[in-house]
Amino acid sequence: MISAQPKGWREALAFYTQRRLLIIFLFGVASGYPWLMIGSSMSAWLNEIGINRTSIGYFGAVFAAYSVNFLWSPLIDRVRLPFMHKWLGQRRSWILLCQLGIAFGCFHLASVDLAEGLRYAAMVALFIAVCSSTQDIGIDAYRIDSIGENEARVQSAAAAMATAGWWTGYGAIGAIPFFLSDLPGWDWPLIYQGMAAFMLVLTAGVWLAREPQTARRALQIESEHKYQRIARARPGKTLALTLLSALFITSALLAWNFLPGVLSAISAWALWQLGLLTLIIRLLVQLHLEQAPAGEPLSNSVNNRAAPAVKRSHRMIAWIMVTTIEPIYEFFNRNGVRMALTVLLFITLFKVGEAFLGRMSIVFYQEIGFTNTDIAIFSKLMNWWVTILFALIGSYVNMRLGIIKGLIIGGSAMALSNLLFAALAVVGPDKSLFVVAVISDGFTSAWSTVAFVAFISLLANRAFTATQYALMASLGTLGRTLLGTYSGAMVDWLNGNWAVFFLLTTVMVIPSLLLLWTIRHRIYALENENNQRQATADFERDQAAAAKRDRQ
């Protein structure tokens, strides 16, 4: 049995090469690869055909799919795909379906004339983003489900392998299109056809993975019975809750009509959504307080004719509630409203500065004089191995320091590393400084990302893994996407002053770190609880092993 906290390099090597962690790495590659199609490669393609910086920045609004994927994340927890579910299981069937959709979208994007059909190209890119963000829901749920509840420390290692895989897909493989674009006979449409073909190769992860076994289905059925009792006892309030939930989801989807829009409109929408969510939670709390006793029978039977029947409408409402509302209610109920809102706000703001830098980085490199080959070598290939190395080191250290210290150290270092890009903007295309900036950025980004992913994984309930993790992860992407969309407009507003732009990205992390500091004690307590559970599991495992040796 491999220790949950390895000591020495041999034990660490054996620990990080477990089959389940290697599968998580491979899924990480498939998760990061689509970002290349609609991210850096798309930015370079648009820039080379003469699209202005503001439009390139706005094109990044397709990443909003990652911000709202929590809206359909319950489907990945609850809906079984016909035929594919029996063949592959819940998690793997959804992952494969999404990967096929990504490959199809990328191949189709290669046939679009971006100069003449930019809006249509954006819609195809949005389709890829939806498939990719849905794939991420399945992959993240698979990662958390494959790590036992009594293996809290292993979540940091799993986060490191996922991060290393993501950067392999986005960074290492992402360098290839930039190399090819500088070679004669290669253009971006042809490159995108090759990228679509490689996406099909990445489906190998689905065939090599084993479907994780969990008690998720039993827990969901138990929740359904609870909501059937509520729907039967309080039909009026249950209907009102259902309508409010539908309004919340509808207004979230309609928000895409003004993305990217003016900041005031987005702020008004956010307040409206917060108000709806507050009403939903209050009504939900009232219903839980008023619900029928848990032991009350749910349906008529021959021996119990007095029990009221559970109607089909009750079952339908219960299914909807467990699918859409119960994961949110459980998260707020378990953590408390103040703690839950602080966590969600921290997640939203933590990586905003990094998003501003990332969205404009390719344009910045090209404008100050670096070639696409330079970008491929330094920004992609070098950043790739730096990220993998420090993701693994960061996870190893985080297992000892704890998640809070890892987030504070990683977040602060991540912000300060942006100052090197400000220096690069002043100095110009200096390759030595470029190397230093890329290594620093890769190191700090990997460290903070591993701690961030482990933090979110720690807070997800196993009954609603996909939904709760997607909710938190999508909020993190929301901050990066909505605010990062204005990165090009900010550079234009600064009249192309890249140095000031990077200085501003440095201070963007401060609000999130202050929020984290206010909840540090609650997170420490949660970590200690999980560590105690891990220690108990290790002790029981050692006792069982000793007893087995004695019998032999």
Side-chain angles (χ1 to χ4, degrees), residues 460-505:
N461 183 286
R462 294 307 177 95
F464 309 103
T465 309
T467 307
Q468 290 189 354
Y469 187 93
L471 171 64
M472 292 183 280
S474 63
L475 284 175
T477 308
L478 177 67
R480 298 197 300 271
T481 302
L482 289 185
L483 298 178
T485 296
Y486 295 93
S487 55
M490 177 180 284
V491 177
D492 287 339
W493 179 69
L494 294 170
N495 295 319
N497 192 329
W498 289 102
V500 175
F501 172 77
F502 290 122
L503 285 173
L504 292 175
T505 64

Side-chain angles (χ1 to χ4, degrees), residues 86-197:
K86 290 184 178 180
W87 186 24
L88 297 171
Q90 183 80 1
R91 300 306 187 201
R92 294 192 300 154
S93 59
W94 273 101
I95 293 171
L96 179 61
L97 179 66
C98 294
Q99 289 177 344
L100 295 177
I102 293 167
F104 170 78
C106 184
F107 186 81
H108 184 59
L109 193 59
S111 64
V112 178
D113 184 350
L114 295 189
E116 298 296 329
L118 188 60
R119 184 178 296 273
Y120 180 72
M123 295 303 298
V124 178
L126 178 60
F127 172 79
I128 295 174
V130 169
C131 291
S132 176
S133 62
T134 306
Q135 176 197 222
D136 286 356
I137 296 170
I139 288 175
D140 290 329
Y142 176 92
R143 171 175 53 78
I144 297 173
D145 287 348
S146 63
I147 306 299
E149 288 189 84
N150 61 345
E151 297 178 297
R153 297 190 189 104
V154 184
Q155 287 293 355
S156 288
M161 296 299 281
T163 301
W166 194 95
W167 274 100
T168 299
Y170 180 71
I173 300 174
I176 298 175
F178 287 88
F179 281 124
L180 294 177
S181 67
D182 280 344
L183 296 177
W186 286 88
D187 57 12
W188 283 108
L190 182 59
I191 291 171
Y192 266 71
Q193 290 177 5
M195 291 164 65

